Structures are given as structure tokens and as C-alpha cells.
Amino acid sequence: MSDDSRNHLARAGETALYDELSRSNRVTTRSWYVATGIAFLVFAFGLGAFIYMMATGMGVTGLNRPVFWGVMIILFVFWIGVSHSGTLISAILRITQASWRAPVLRGAEAMTVFALMVGGLFPIMHLGRNWRFYYIVPYPSERQLWPNFRSPLVWDMVAIATYLTGSILFLYFGMIPDLAVARDRSTGWRKKLYTTLAAGFRGSHAEWRRYHVTSTLFAVLIIPVAVSVHSIVSWDFAMAMVPGWHSTIFAPYFVAGAIYSGIAGVITVMAALRWAFKLENHLTERHFDNLGKLLLTMTLIWGYFYFSEFLTTWYSRLPEDWALISSYGGHYLPLFLLMLVCNFLIPLPLLSLGKVRRSIPAIFAVSLVVNVGMWAERALIVVPSLARRNDPSIWHNYFPTWVEISFITGALAMFALLYLLFAKLLPVMAISDIKDHLFRTTDRSVGGTVVPSVAEEESGKEGTP
Amino acid sequence: MKHKWAMVIDMDRCTGCGACVVACAAENNTPTAGEAEAAKGRLMHWLRISRYWKREGNETRAIFVPTPCMHCEKAPCEIVCPVYATYHDEDDNLNAMVYNRCIGTRYCANNCPYSVRVFNWWNYTWEKPLDEQLNPDLSVRSRGVMEKCTYCIQRIRRARETAISERREIRDGEVVPACAQTCPPGAIVFGDTADPDSAVSRVLKDPRVFKLMEHLGTDPSTAYLKKQRGPGR
């Protein structure tokens, strides 16, 4: 779609714009049923595997002594990492008032919420007595015992609960004007649903003012939460005196890795949404170009962190660390190469090319590659460090069983399922933000090219769509 | 009276026979994992004998390191448990474990540099008549909880109750854990270091004494004796 016709709908009429942006809500296609059905079946299989594990014992996994943490913790770190960028990107774009942000916001925020819902399950599932998970929650119980606040796992529980609550509120709050639009244009049970969710939003000046103040406040507050969450996830590892885990760089390194995999996740989700719901007019090459540049930045930052962490450990050759690093060149070489290739060697040159960033299939492929690489990176952090503990007499390797592999697929399916249901029920595009932006923008010819230009600088307070 | 229980293992005496491992399993109701599970790295032993080979000239020597829980004074496992399932027993200076509180995060096991903690991967059963050999002094653990060497806390408790009923202190040598009781060469000495005259306090003055991974600062209660060989010794 060329830039000239980008704001055709804002001018042509609200109905057409609404129809185009909420196609996912209005038409239920056969392919939606097929996709949802497949996602449900795969998810149900994972759920069945979990129930089997819960009923039989953790012995059905590939875990052993000393590798007490495996796929479930890898999935936990991975999905919390993926969850990272949605809210963060959205908040940063809101605060910096990036002019291209509007079509990306909603999809990214929803990705955060669903990835958190998936990721947050795994620390519970991985418990030996997962039916007793509430022992970790601080509530006045018959045991008359608080949880141990010195344990990073308690911090983790608090951090993830906070982040999930914050992200859901952030997503919901940003959605209110769009729910109001949907309420005015729908019938039947959908009207009832949107009426309830829109909370009486009418679009008066006062309402918009409060909305903008609150959403800026939310955006500012959610950033430290997001940074703290992945720092705390990293401290689950860094606080332990395990060679390879006990590192001061882990918190910023994990945050960088999380943003990296999160941006890749945003690109994957955006490309899928654009393709599935025909949003070519709104999610343009420009968005993918910009997200691609962000991804490239994170590739470099991640590479820098990994290099500096690796170099110090490698150079000092402490015996405990050396045993671990040797395993990267031995038993865990395939995993190490997978990480290095998918996280750095492939994305770095490709994302440097504008052609790749602007080609949606190409950047979609790169985003998938990055997430495979990030999965390998998480696996490489969790497993080899445990497999090469201080006492060599108990060294033991680890490979997941079918139960754990069905958790990997089940997690992916659960994420897809949540997203498919979300796309069907709620406004998947930030309609009012997009409309706002389209109204402000005109296309101007500058030399040989046409650039979008805004009539006035956004004040952030007086949105009048 | 507060105690500070400690164990000293004489590696120069240890023959690596494994009697202590068997005694420990019999005393503490630790299940037999079986060959297949053991190959997966799921031995349930609370006390393992780590074996290392050392080449000295033309000779290859086996070094046996019987490794029970170190009962660290600054135990890394305790601080990371979110539910206080493993905590420091202040009276006996033991690193204690409450099975009913444990939810099985297995974080303690990850943070133990000695890797002495074991996890109940399954609900282990003792087929009849093997259940008759279970020790009634302590529980059989269900699946999903961590467990580890307790320095035979049931024996410490029994000795204390006897001492209280007879209105006296626990005598040196009254508490003997199963491993020390069984060790054929008598390589394991156990006792209370709060008592400066106890056998274990005397053995700890031996110049051969060292502790495992002392540099980590865990301050273990289990110590080892080994004559250092090789150049510079």
C-alpha cells in the first residue's frame, strides 16, 4: 500500500475505518475455526501431559540430580521474556509519542498479557507438589508461617503478579475508547459485553483528558515494573551460588534478552495479525522497518552483554566456570551454536539491510529465528550450569521427555489460542489512536518523496478524535 | 543446652566399601531407586561416596569422598527456600528439613554446592514384606518433596529425651548416626563440638583436617581428614 492512500479511511468515514480495523471481530471465517481448533487440541494435549505429570510424579520428566530445573523453567524465563516487550514498547512509544505507534500498541500490549499468562504457569507447574503452590503466597494461614522473603522465588511471585495485574490494567485501560466505539456499532451479546467493558465511556472532553493523563501515568509506571520483573527473574539464577549463574551482569543481561525476544515476538504477532485480518493499510512496511531497527539495536546490545559476560568467565578460567564453558564446546555444543547463529549471526547482517526490514515475510522469518535463538539461550543458561555442578562425581546431562516437549508445544498453542480468542472478542487494533493519528496527519511532498506530516505537535493531553 | 553437632570423616581410613550408604538407607527409609532410575541420575542416597581417580607416577589411586549433608552454618539452601521447608535448627545447629512444608521448588538443591539433596521423583513404595523394615522413628516421604541427610536427627532426639528423663546432659558418644555406627574401619566420628572434650572436638585438632569447598564460605559442620601427598607437602 503506498503512502498516498494511508489516510483515505479517516476522511472517507468512520464506519469504513471501524469495519476495516475490526474485521477480526465482525467476520468469523472458517480458517479462524480451524486455527482455533488446532491450537485447542495442541493445548489440550499439553494440559493432559501436565495432569499426567501431576498424578504420577515429576519422574515423568527428564529431570535428575543435579539438573533439578529443566524445560519448565526454560519456558518460564522464555515466555516472561517474550512478554517483556509488549508493554514496554507500548509504554515507551506512548511516552516518546512516536508518530508510528498507534497500530502497534494494542497487539503488543495483548502479547504481553498472554505471554505472561503462559509464562506464569510454569513455575507453578514445575513444583514437586504443585497443588500446594499457595504456600508461597503471604496470607494468614493455619500454618502461622509467612513465606521466606529472602527467597528470590517469593520476589518472583510478587513481581510477576504485579506485572500481570499492571499489564492487564494497561491493556484494558487503553482499550476503553475502542470498546466504546465497538459498543456503538455492535448488536446482541457483543453489545452487552462492550457496554459493560466500556464502563460508560462517551468521549466527552473531560473523559479524554482523564484518559490521557492516566494512560501517560500508566506508561510511566509500567516501565520500572517491567524492568524489575526480568531483573528478578534473573536473580532466581544470579542469587544462587551456581557456577555460570552467579553473575552480577545477569539482571541487565536478562532485561536486554527479554526486550530482544519481546520485540521479535511483537514483529511475529504483528505480521500474523496483518496477514490474518488484512490490516495492510495500517501495519505498513514503515512499522516493520522501525521495529526491525529496534530489533537490530537489541541484537547488538544482547551480543555485547553475552560477549562481556562470556569473556570475563572464559579469561579467568576458574575451575568451576571452566567446567561449564568446556561443556559449551562439548555436550552442549549444538545448543550453543543454535543460540549463536540464531541470535547473532543471522539477525545482525539481515536486519542491517533495509530491504529485509521492509520485506514483511523476511522480517517475520528473522523474528522467528530470533525467538528460536532466545529459547536456546534460556536453555543454555538453565541446564549446563546445573549439569556441571561443583562436584564432578554427580555430573549428569539432561534431555526432556515427551511430557516436557508437549509443554513446549502446549505453551505455544495456549498463547495462540488466547490471541485468537482475543482477536475475536475485543478490538485488536487501537482504533481511536489510529483515527487520532490519521486525522492529524497529511501527506506532503518533499523533493521526490511523500512524507507524513502532522499539523501540530501532540500535546498528549488534548486528544480530540 | 545448645549443641553443635559435627561429623569428621577420615578419608585415610575410608575404603570406599559403601556400608555407610546401606546403613543410611536402612535407617532413614530412603527408597531404592533401581538400576534404570539410577542411570538417569536419580539415586535417592542421602550419603553418596564420590569416587575420584588420581594418578601418582605409575600408580592410579582411588580417592573416596563420602558426602553426607554438610550441615553448613551458613547454608545456601536455607535462604532460597520460599516456604521455610529447610531452615536452621538453632538448638542443635542442624540444617533441618520439614517435609510437610516443602512444595518442591528444588531451589535448595540447585543452591547446594555439594549436591547432597535428593528429590522424591515418584511415590516410592515398599512391597510387602519390605515395608516391615521401615524405621518407625521417622516418616516415609511422599513424592514431590526434597530430603537429605539429617545427621540421623531421630537418634539425636531420642538421646536428648533419654537425657532429659534421666536429668543429665547427653553424653559424648551417645548419639551415633547410622553411617558412623556401621563404618567398618571406623572412619566416621560424630559428636558435639560445643563440648570441647568430645571425641569429635579432639579429632578436629588433627592437622589433616579440611572441609569441602571451604572457599565458598558455607562453613560446613562436616569435616574431612586426609594426609596431603605430592610435592610441597
PDB file of all heavy atoms in Angstrom, chain A residues 249-270:
ATOM      1  N   ILE A 249      26.089  -9.432  36.161  1.00  0.00           N
ATOM      2  CA  ILE A 249      25.584  -8.857  34.918  1.00  0.00           C
ATOM      3  C   ILE A 249      24.202  -9.429  34.564  1.00  0.00           C
ATOM      4  O   ILE A 249      23.538  -8.940  33.651  1.00  0.00           O
ATOM      5  CB  ILE A 249      26.593  -9.117  33.775  1.00  0.00           C
ATOM      6  CG1 ILE A 249      26.479  -8.024  32.712  1.00  0.00           C
ATOM      7  CG2 ILE A 249      26.387 -10.472  33.144  1.00  0.00           C
ATOM      8  CD1 ILE A 249      27.533  -8.100  31.651  1.00  0.00           C
ATOM      9  N   PHE A 250      23.770 -10.457  35.311  1.00  0.00           N
ATOM     10  CA  PHE A 250      22.571 -11.182  34.885  1.00  0.00           C
ATOM     11  C   PHE A 250      21.328 -10.306  34.767  1.00  0.00           C
ATOM     12  O   PHE A 250      20.550 -10.483  33.852  1.00  0.00           O
ATOM     13  CB  PHE A 250      22.307 -12.365  35.824  1.00  0.00           C
ATOM     14  CG  PHE A 250      22.673 -13.687  35.214  1.00  0.00           C
ATOM     15  CD1 PHE A 250      23.801 -13.800  34.434  1.00  0.00           C
ATOM     16  CD2 PHE A 250      21.890 -14.813  35.409  1.00  0.00           C
ATOM     17  CE1 PHE A 250      24.160 -15.006  33.850  1.00  0.00           C
ATOM     18  CE2 PHE A 250      22.234 -16.028  34.830  1.00  0.00           C
ATOM     19  CZ  PHE A 250      23.368 -16.130  34.059  1.00  0.00           C
ATOM     20  N   ALA A 251      21.129  -9.381  35.712  1.00  0.00           N
ATOM     21  CA  ALA A 251      19.885  -8.618  35.664  1.00  0.00           C
ATOM     22  C   ALA A 251      19.770  -7.779  34.386  1.00  0.00           C
ATOM     23  O   ALA A 251      18.819  -7.958  33.621  1.00  0.00           O
ATOM     24  CB  ALA A 251      19.741  -7.773  36.919  1.00  0.00           C
ATOM     25  N   PRO A 252      20.752  -6.898  34.089  1.00  0.00           N
ATOM     26  CA  PRO A 252      20.613  -6.149  32.832  1.00  0.00           C
ATOM     27  C   PRO A 252      20.667  -7.047  31.609  1.00  0.00           C
ATOM     28  O   PRO A 252      19.989  -6.778  30.608  1.00  0.00           O
ATOM     29  CB  PRO A 252      21.812  -5.188  32.855  1.00  0.00           C
ATOM     30  CG  PRO A 252      22.740  -5.712  33.865  1.00  0.00           C
ATOM     31  CD  PRO A 252      21.923  -6.453  34.864  1.00  0.00           C
ATOM     32  N   TYR A 253      21.441  -8.114  31.710  1.00  0.00           N
ATOM     33  CA  TYR A 253      21.550  -9.041  30.578  1.00  0.00           C
ATOM     34  C   TYR A 253      20.208  -9.708  30.289  1.00  0.00           C
ATOM     35  O   TYR A 253      19.783  -9.843  29.136  1.00  0.00           O
ATOM     36  CB  TYR A 253      22.645 -10.057  30.904  1.00  0.00           C
ATOM     37  CG  TYR A 253      22.735 -11.251  30.019  1.00  0.00           C
ATOM     38  CD1 TYR A 253      22.846 -11.114  28.642  1.00  0.00           C
ATOM     39  CD2 TYR A 253      22.735 -12.533  30.554  1.00  0.00           C
ATOM     40  CE1 TYR A 253      22.943 -12.224  27.833  1.00  0.00           C
ATOM     41  CE2 TYR A 253      22.833 -13.640  29.755  1.00  0.00           C
ATOM     42  CZ  TYR A 253      22.936 -13.484  28.390  1.00  0.00           C
ATOM     43  OH  TYR A 253      23.017 -14.590  27.602  1.00  0.00           O
ATOM     44  N   PHE A 254      19.515 -10.108  31.357  1.00  0.00           N
ATOM     45  CA  PHE A 254      18.198 -10.731  31.171  1.00  0.00           C
ATOM     46  C   PHE A 254      17.195  -9.720  30.637  1.00  0.00           C
ATOM     47  O   PHE A 254      16.349 -10.060  29.812  1.00  0.00           O
ATOM     48  CB  PHE A 254      17.677 -11.309  32.493  1.00  0.00           C
ATOM     49  CG  PHE A 254      17.978 -12.760  32.681  1.00  0.00           C
ATOM     50  CD1 PHE A 254      19.257 -13.243  32.546  1.00  0.00           C
ATOM     51  CD2 PHE A 254      16.968 -13.657  33.006  1.00  0.00           C
ATOM     52  CE1 PHE A 254      19.538 -14.586  32.720  1.00  0.00           C
ATOM     53  CE2 PHE A 254      17.241 -15.010  33.183  1.00  0.00           C
ATOM     54  CZ  PHE A 254      18.530 -15.469  33.042  1.00  0.00           C
ATOM     55  N   VAL A 255      17.267  -8.491  31.132  1.00  0.00           N
ATOM     56  CA  VAL A 255      16.325  -7.476  30.654  1.00  0.00           C
ATOM     57  C   VAL A 255      16.557  -7.242  29.161  1.00  0.00           C
ATOM     58  O   VAL A 255      15.611  -7.210  28.367  1.00  0.00           O
ATOM     59  CB  VAL A 255      16.467  -6.171  31.464  1.00  0.00           C
ATOM     60  CG1 VAL A 255      15.619  -5.066  30.861  1.00  0.00           C
ATOM     61  CG2 VAL A 255      16.061  -6.395  32.908  1.00  0.00           C
ATOM     62  N   ALA A 256      17.844  -7.133  28.773  1.00  0.00           N
ATOM     63  CA  ALA A 256      18.149  -6.925  27.361  1.00  0.00           C
ATOM     64  C   ALA A 256      17.647  -8.113  26.531  1.00  0.00           C
ATOM     65  O   ALA A 256      17.016  -7.931  25.482  1.00  0.00           O
ATOM     66  CB  ALA A 256      19.651  -6.741  27.169  1.00  0.00           C
ATOM     67  N   GLY A 257      17.912  -9.327  27.027  1.00  0.00           N
ATOM     68  CA  GLY A 257      17.456 -10.519  26.310  1.00  0.00           C
ATOM     69  C   GLY A 257      15.948 -10.563  26.208  1.00  0.00           C
ATOM     70  O   GLY A 257      15.385 -10.937  25.171  1.00  0.00           O
ATOM     71  N   ALA A 258      15.286 -10.147  27.277  1.00  0.00           N
ATOM     72  CA  ALA A 258      13.825 -10.173  27.282  1.00  0.00           C
ATOM     73  C   ALA A 258      13.274  -9.181  26.272  1.00  0.00           C
ATOM     74  O   ALA A 258      12.343  -9.495  25.516  1.00  0.00           O
ATOM     75  CB  ALA A 258      13.306  -9.853  28.673  1.00  0.00           C
ATOM     76  N   ILE A 259      13.870  -7.985  26.218  1.00  0.00           N
ATOM     77  CA  ILE A 259      13.381  -6.995  25.259  1.00  0.00           C
ATOM     78  C   ILE A 259      13.652  -7.498  23.844  1.00  0.00           C
ATOM     79  O   ILE A 259      12.821  -7.353  22.946  1.00  0.00           O
ATOM     80  CB  ILE A 259      14.051  -5.630  25.517  1.00  0.00           C
ATOM     81  CG1 ILE A 259      13.652  -5.128  26.903  1.00  0.00           C
ATOM     82  CG2 ILE A 259      13.640  -4.619  24.468  1.00  0.00           C
ATOM     83  CD1 ILE A 259      14.371  -3.889  27.335  1.00  0.00           C
ATOM     84  N   TYR A 260      14.805  -8.130  23.695  1.00  0.00           N
ATOM     85  CA  TYR A 260      15.171  -8.675  22.380  1.00  0.00           C
ATOM     86  C   TYR A 260      14.122  -9.683  21.919  1.00  0.00           C
ATOM     87  O   TYR A 260      13.528  -9.538  20.835  1.00  0.00           O
ATOM     88  CB  TYR A 260      16.550  -9.319  22.510  1.00  0.00           C
ATOM     89  CG  TYR A 260      17.169  -9.806  21.234  1.00  0.00           C
ATOM     90  CD1 TYR A 260      16.928  -9.155  20.029  1.00  0.00           C
ATOM     91  CD2 TYR A 260      18.036 -10.897  21.232  1.00  0.00           C
ATOM     92  CE1 TYR A 260      17.524  -9.595  18.861  1.00  0.00           C
ATOM     93  CE2 TYR A 260      18.640 -11.343  20.079  1.00  0.00           C
ATOM     94  CZ  TYR A 260      18.375 -10.689  18.893  1.00  0.00           C
ATOM     95  OH  TYR A 260      18.961 -11.133  17.741  1.00  0.00           O
ATOM     96  N   SER A 261      13.865 -10.698  22.741  1.00  0.00           N
ATOM     97  CA  SER A 261      12.902 -11.711  22.320  1.00  0.00           C
ATOM     98  C   SER A 261      11.500 -11.112  22.241  1.00  0.00           C
ATOM     99  O   SER A 261      10.686 -11.523  21.418  1.00  0.00           O
ATOM    100  CB  SER A 261      12.927 -12.918  23.260  1.00  0.00           C
ATOM    101  OG  SER A 261      12.450 -12.560  24.524  1.00  0.00           O
ATOM    102  N   GLY A 262      11.229 -10.119  23.098  1.00  0.00           N
ATOM    103  CA  GLY A 262       9.910  -9.492  23.075  1.00  0.00           C
ATOM    104  C   GLY A 262       9.657  -8.737  21.788  1.00  0.00           C
ATOM    105  O   GLY A 262       8.571  -8.820  21.213  1.00  0.00           O
ATOM    106  N   ILE A 263      10.671  -8.007  21.299  1.00  0.00           N
ATOM    107  CA  ILE A 263      10.474  -7.262  20.052  1.00  0.00           C
ATOM    108  C   ILE A 263      10.291  -8.244  18.900  1.00  0.00           C
ATOM    109  O   ILE A 263       9.435  -8.051  18.028  1.00  0.00           O
ATOM    110  CB  ILE A 263      11.651  -6.300  19.804  1.00  0.00           C
ATOM    111  CG1 ILE A 263      11.587  -5.179  20.826  1.00  0.00           C
ATOM    112  CG2 ILE A 263      11.585  -5.717  18.404  1.00  0.00           C
ATOM    113  CD1 ILE A 263      12.765  -4.270  20.818  1.00  0.00           C
ATOM    114  N   ALA A 264      11.075  -9.311  18.928  1.00  0.00           N
ATOM    115  CA  ALA A 264      10.882 -10.342  17.906  1.00  0.00           C
ATOM    116  C   ALA A 264       9.449 -10.875  17.985  1.00  0.00           C
ATOM    117  O   ALA A 264       8.789 -11.081  16.965  1.00  0.00           O
ATOM    118  CB  ALA A 264      11.884 -11.468  18.098  1.00  0.00           C
ATOM    119  N   GLY A 265       8.963 -11.067  19.217  1.00  0.00           N
ATOM    120  CA  GLY A 265       7.583 -11.544  19.396  1.00  0.00           C
ATOM    121  C   GLY A 265       6.578 -10.550  18.849  1.00  0.00           C
ATOM    122  O   GLY A 265       5.609 -10.941  18.174  1.00  0.00           O
ATOM    123  N   VAL A 266       6.818  -9.256  19.095  1.00  0.00           N
ATOM    124  CA  VAL A 266       5.895  -8.236  18.578  1.00  0.00           C
ATOM    125  C   VAL A 266       5.856  -8.310  17.053  1.00  0.00           C
ATOM    126  O   VAL A 266       4.784  -8.273  16.437  1.00  0.00           O
ATOM    127  CB  VAL A 266       6.315  -6.824  19.052  1.00  0.00           C
ATOM    128  CG1 VAL A 266       5.521  -5.753  18.325  1.00  0.00           C
ATOM    129  CG2 VAL A 266       6.100  -6.681  20.542  1.00  0.00           C
ATOM    130  N   ILE A 267       7.028  -8.444  16.440  1.00  0.00           N
ATOM    131  CA  ILE A 267       7.072  -8.496  14.968  1.00  0.00           C
ATOM    132  C   ILE A 267       6.311  -9.729  14.468  1.00  0.00           C
ATOM    133  O   ILE A 267       5.504  -9.643  13.532  1.00  0.00           O
ATOM    134  CB  ILE A 267       8.537  -8.504  14.475  1.00  0.00           C
ATOM    135  CG1 ILE A 267       9.182  -7.154  14.780  1.00  0.00           C
ATOM    136  CG2 ILE A 267       8.601  -8.810  12.993  1.00  0.00           C
ATOM    137  CD1 ILE A 267      10.665  -7.081  14.508  1.00  0.00           C
ATOM    138  N   THR A 268       6.541 -10.878  15.134  1.00  0.00           N
ATOM    139  CA  THR A 268       5.834 -12.097  14.730  1.00  0.00           C
ATOM    140  C   THR A 268       4.328 -11.874  14.809  1.00  0.00           C
ATOM    141  O   THR A 268       3.587 -12.172  13.852  1.00  0.00           O
ATOM    142  CB  THR A 268       6.224 -13.266  15.662  1.00  0.00           C
ATOM    143  OG1 THR A 268       7.637 -13.299  15.784  1.00  0.00           O
ATOM    144  CG2 THR A 268       5.702 -14.580  15.140  1.00  0.00           C
ATOM    145  N   VAL A 269       3.884 -11.344  15.935  1.00  0.00           N
ATOM    146  CA  VAL A 269       2.443 -11.176  16.139  1.00  0.00           C
ATOM    147  C   VAL A 269       1.867 -10.156  15.154  1.00  0.00           C
ATOM    148  O   VAL A 269       0.802 -10.374  14.565  1.00  0.00           O
ATOM    149  CB  VAL A 269       2.180 -10.746  17.604  1.00  0.00           C
ATOM    150  CG1 VAL A 269       0.772 -10.231  17.779  1.00  0.00           C
ATOM    151  CG2 VAL A 269       2.422 -11.913  18.547  1.00  0.00           C
ATOM    152  N   MET A 270       2.603  -9.052  14.936  1.00  0.00           N
ATOM    153  CA  MET A 270       2.125  -8.016  14.016  1.00  0.00           C
ATOM    154  C   MET A 270       1.981  -8.561  12.604  1.00  0.00           C
ATOM    155  O   MET A 270       0.999  -8.285  11.918  1.00  0.00           O
ATOM    156  CB  MET A 270       3.108  -6.836  13.994  1.00  0.00           C
ATOM    157  CG  MET A 270       3.102  -6.020  15.243  1.00  0.00           C
ATOM    158  SD  MET A 270       1.501  -5.297  15.497  1.00  0.00           S
ATOM    159  CE  MET A 270       1.394  -5.383  17.251  1.00  0.00           C
TER     160      MET A 270
END
